[in-house]
């Protein structure tokens, strides 16, 4: 009993009068945001941003404990003396003409650019080793980065974080345009989040919905930032971003209405318990244009105005840390609905379903006289089943049928037939394969079967031979006795 008293006193002294309340304040923080933007084309863009900030100088302090900041990335910063790291995986291309300027621009495929510290002696060696390690972390083909696809830009890329100088000798840039983004890249990206995909905004990151979009881009950005106003010390900021563009007509079954559940097949139930800020921003800037009255449900916590990319924007803000926002229903499904349809109603589009129903597009428009109107439709070429091809598949497939009328009353107009060439396999190859296979089987199997079933007999040699038979044949013709 006497030995237990000093131990209990030691624990009390360590904890202090307030118990764990006097423990050191956490040196890291997490902020998560989702920005939903209705695009001019009618599509909807969703941009996730998870920012983890760590008040630590990794390259000077011996760090062994990681709380929110991913250990795998923290060790990369220390081992390879990184100043900044920017990595993105993108499927598709951001169509600025129809969608407006993006929040974060990224090229198709995989892009990697890194600033090294000026203490690195062999930048090329560190660059090669770093790309190999990142290839393993994100299950990507970054190990194919070498001197043949690596450059050192001098004007296009500047440090995005705290930097004392810009010696481009320590900058390396590479891009792999043919890198295909898939679930294998998304899964390790989500595992870097403090709440993974279990709580907060990350529960919306459902792979089958994120990749069924017109545009998909996920990125990781690491940079040093000032810890205080005088910048006497630095902190490390990890920014994980993911941007997707949903086709409003496909996702909304031909309607412009949308909701979190319609886009992601999930709703928000709780914020990430490790986040100090968890918000959803909805762009409501263009809600009252073209005599279109829209409403957002439920009512936002507040609204906010700011100048984004040179344009003043108005956002409805939903604060997930506000207990009244989620606790009332334990389910937050933000929706944007038409309060009333626009006059002389918009466009009716019914998307096709493979082998079930065709596309249907109806537009009510007013055309000026002596004008030319063009209607363009984006589509993806796909291979059909081999039984679905016509006897002349290289001829193509008809989409529309020809009839026309130039009357000045209500008429129905048809365009000329549109011929679309779909990917067609080489149908001669199956024939060649069948012929070759049958020949090989016939020769091999026939010979083997003949050897197994043939019966061999030993025949005794006959006497006389050919000369004797010829002589007997002549004697028979002459009527003399045979030999």
């Amino acid at each position: 009993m006497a030995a237990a008293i000093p131990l209990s006193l030691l624990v009390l002294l360590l904890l202090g009068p307030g118990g764990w309340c006097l423990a050191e304040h956490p040196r890291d923080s997490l902020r998560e945001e989702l920005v939903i933007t209705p695009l001019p084309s009618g599509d909807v863009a969703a941009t996730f941003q998870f920012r983890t900030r760590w008040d630590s100088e990794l390259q000077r302090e011996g760090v062994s404990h990681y709380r929110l900041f991913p250990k795998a990335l923290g060790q990369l910063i220390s081992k390879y003396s990184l100043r900044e790291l920017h990595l993105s995986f993108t499927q598709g291309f951001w169509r600025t003409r129809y969608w407006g300027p993006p929040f974060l621009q990224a090229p198709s495929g995989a892009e990697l650019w890194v600033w090294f510290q000026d203490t690195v002696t062999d930048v090329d060696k560190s660059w090669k080793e770093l790309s190999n390690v990142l290839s393993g972390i994100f299950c990507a083909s970054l190990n194919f980065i070498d001197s043949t696809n690596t450059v050192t830009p001098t004007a296009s890329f500047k440090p995005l974080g705290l930097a004392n100088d810009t010696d481009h000798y320590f900058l390396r840039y590479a891009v792999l345009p043919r890198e295909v983004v898939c679930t294998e890249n998304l899964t390790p990206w989500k595992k870097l989040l403090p709440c993974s995909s279990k709580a907060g905004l990350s529960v919306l990151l459902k792979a089958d919905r994120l990749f069924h979009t017109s545009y998909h881009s996920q990125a990781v950005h690491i940079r040093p930032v000032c810890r205080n106003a005088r910048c006497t010390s630095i902190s490390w900021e990890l920014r994980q971003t993911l941007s997707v563009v949903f086709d409003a007509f496909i996702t909304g079954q031909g309607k412009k209405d949308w909701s979190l559940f319609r886009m992601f097949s999930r709703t928000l139930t709780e914020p990430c318990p490790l986040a100090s800020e968890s918000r959803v921003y909805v762009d409501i800037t263009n809600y009252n244009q073209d005599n279109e009255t829209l409403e957002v449900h439920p009512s936002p916590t507040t609204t906010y105005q700011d100048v984004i990319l040179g344009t003043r924007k108005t956002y409805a803000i939903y604060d997930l840390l506000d207990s009244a926002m989620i606790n009332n229903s334990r389910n937050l499904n933000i929706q944007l609905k038409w309060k009333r349809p626009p006059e002389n109603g918009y466009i009716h589009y019914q998307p096709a379903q493979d082998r079930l129903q065709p596309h249907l597009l109806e537009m009510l428009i007013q055309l000026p006289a002596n004008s030319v109107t063009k209607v363009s439709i984006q589509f993806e070429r796909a291979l059909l089943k081999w039984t679905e091809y016509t006897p002349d598949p290289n001829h193509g497939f008809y989409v529309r049928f020809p009839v026309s009328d130039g009357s000045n009353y209500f008429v129905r107009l048809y365009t000329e037939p549109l011929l679309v060439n779909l990917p067609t396999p080489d149908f001669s190859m199956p024939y060649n394969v069948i012929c070759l296979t049958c020949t090989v089987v016939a020769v091999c199997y026939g010979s083997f079967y003949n050897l197994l079933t043939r019966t061999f007999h030993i025949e005794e040699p006959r006497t006389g031979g050919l000369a004797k038979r010829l002589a007997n044949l002549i004697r028979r013709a002459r009527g003399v006795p045979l030999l």
Side-chain angles (χ1 to χ4, degrees):
M1 186 65 181
I5 296 177
L7 179 60
S8 61
L9 292 177
L10 178 61
V11 173
L12 291 176
L13 289 176
L14 289 176
L15 296 181
W20 293 105
C21 296
L22 296 182
E24 183 181 359
H25 184 72
R27 301 172 59 188
D28 48 8
S29 60
L30 169 67
R31 300 171 61 185
E32 56 178 9
E33 302 169 347
L34 169 60
V35 181
I36 301 177
T37 307
L39 301 176
S41 62
D43 301 328
V44 180
T47 302
F48 294 84
Q49 181 169 256
F50 304 88
R51 288 184 291 178
T52 304
R53 178 168 173 170
W54 194 10
D55 296 338
S56 174
E57 298 188 13
L58 295 176
Q59 294 161 345
R60 295 183 181 179
E61 304 175 3
V63 179
S64 59
H65 176 69
Y66 291 81
R67 180 173 173 266
L68 300 181
F69 203 92
K71 184 177 181 179
L73 299 183
Q75 291 176 340
L76 286 183
I77 297 175
S78 301
K79 181 176 181 180
Y80 296 103
S81 300
L82 302 182
R83 180 193 298 176
E84 290 189 16
L85 184 147
H86 305 275
L87 173 64
S88 65
F89 299 95
T90 304
Q91 187 76 23
F93 185 76
W94 184 275
R95 304 186 181 278
T96 306
R97 179 179 179 183
Y98 304 101
W99 299 339
F103 282 107
L104 300 170
Q105 185 65 276
S108 299
E111 180 193 42
L112 175 64
W113 56 287
V114 176
W115 283 92
F116 292 92
Q117 296 285 349
D118 54 8
T119 56
V120 178
T121 57
D122 193 343
V123 177
D124 293 328
K125 180 180 178 181
S126 299
W127 166 254
K128 180 60 178 178
E129 293 179 358
L130 176 64
S131 60
N132 289 332
V133 174
L134 291 174
S135 178
I137 293 178
F138 293 98
C139 297
S141 302
L142 300 177
N143 55 304
F144 287 97
I145 294 179
D146 53 22
S147 59
T148 61
N149 48 31
T150 299
V151 295
T152 304
T154 58
S156 303
F157 295 88
K158 301 294 183 182
L160 300 183
L162 180 63
N164 296 327
D165 56 3
T166 55
D167 188 353
H168 289 83
Y169 170 77
F170 299 98
L171 170 64
R172 292 296 182 272
Y173 175 87
V175 62
L176 300 176
R178 299 183 61 182
E179 180 72 12
V180 178
V181 186
C182 60
T183 308
E184 294 180 353
N185 308 122
L186 178 64
T187 301
W189 185 91
K190 291 193 297 185
K191 289 183 177 179
L192 298 176
L193 299 174
C195 286
S196 185
S197 57
K198 307 300 182 181
L201 300 179
S202 58
V203 299
L204 302 178
L205 303 178
K206 193 176 179 181
D208 61 334
R209 303 299 298 174
L210 296 179
F211 289 102
H212 190 64
T213 55
S214 303
Y215 176 82
H216 175 101
S217 179
Q218 61 187 64
V220 172
H221 303 278
I222 301 176
R223 64 174 183 171
V225 295
C226 292
R227 190 179 305 181
N228 48 43
R230 296 190 301 172
C231 204
T232 56
S233 56
I234 67 172
S235 300
W236 286 95
E237 181 190 73
L238 167 63
R239 189 159 51 99
Q240 295 180 244
T241 62
L242 188 146
S243 300
V244 290
V245 175
F246 292 93
D247 191 319
F249 292 105
I250 295 179
T251 307
Q253 289 79 42
K255 301 179 181 179
K256 290 183 63 177
D257 299 348
W258 58 263
S259 65
L260 290 182
F261 184 80
R262 181 168 291 177
M263 290 189 295
F264 301 103
S265 296
R266 291 178 179 176
T267 57
L268 296 173
T269 57
E270 61 177 342
C272 175
L274 299 176
S276 59
E277 181 178 304
S278 182
R279 294 182 177 180
V280 178
Y281 297 83
V282 180
D283 187 355
I284 58 175
T285 305
N286 301 322
Y287 278 9
N288 295 321
Q289 291 188 0
D290 301 327
N291 297 323
E292 299 173 352
T293 304
L294 306 176
E295 62 180 7
V296 183
H297 180 79
S299 300
T301 306
T302 183
T303 58
Y304 172 74
Q305 289 188 351
D306 199 355
V307 178
I308 307 297
L309 299 176
T311 304
R312 178 165 290 278
K313 297 285 187 179
T314 303
Y315 291 95
I317 302 179
Y318 295 85
D319 190 355
L320 301 186
L321 297 181
D322 185 359
S323 58
M325 182 58 62
I326 293 182
N327 289 347
N328 292 338
S329 60
R330 297 295 299 173
N331 181 16
L332 178 60
N333 183 27
I334 303 175
Q335 306 176 45
L336 184 148
K337 297 182 178 180
W338 296 99
K339 192 172 183 179
R340 60 179 178 86
E343 297 180 359
N344 298 328
Y346 206 91
I347 295 176
H348 173 66
Y349 174 68
Q350 176 181 321
Q353 297 182 15
D354 289 344
R355 302 173 180 88
L356 293 179
Q357 67 179 22
H359 289 276
L360 173 61
L361 175 61
E362 295 178 307
M363 296 184 295
L364 184 62
I365 55 179
Q366 184 176 359
L367 304 178
N370 301 321
S371 63
V372 177
T373 301
K374 295 182 179 180
V375 179
S376 61
I377 301 177
Q378 297 180 1
F379 66 95
E380 295 181 358
R381 300 178 184 269
L383 287 174
L384 303 178
K385 294 181 179 180
W386 70 275
T387 56
E388 296 175 343
Y389 285 93
T390 58
D392 53 346
N394 292 303
H395 182 72
F397 291 79
Y398 288 105
V399 176
R400 294 189 287 235
F401 304 92
V403 172
S404 63
D405 192 346
S407 304
N408 57 1
Y409 51 88
F410 180 80
V411 294
R412 183 178 293 108
L413 300 178
Y414 296 87
T415 64
E416 295 182 357
L418 177 63
L419 195 63
V420 177
N421 291 323
L422 296 179
T424 305
D426 185 1
F427 286 102
S428 64
M429 289 303 298
Y431 173 77
N432 297 334
V433 172
I434 292 174
C435 292
L436 178 60
T437 304
C438 292
T439 303
V440 173
V441 171
V443 172
C444 297
Y445 177 77
S447 302
F448 187 69
Y449 181 80
N450 191 18
L451 291 175
L452 292 178
T453 59
R454 175 178 294 181
T455 303
F456 296 91
H457 300 279
I458 300 177
E459 185 177 355
E460 296 293 337
R462 296 179 180 179
T463 59
L466 180 60
K468 184 177 180 179
R469 289 196 297 270
L470 290 177
N472 288 334
L473 182 63
I474 297 173
R475 282 176 175 270
R476 185 182 293 112
R478 293 174 60 185
V480 295
L482 300 179
L483 296 176

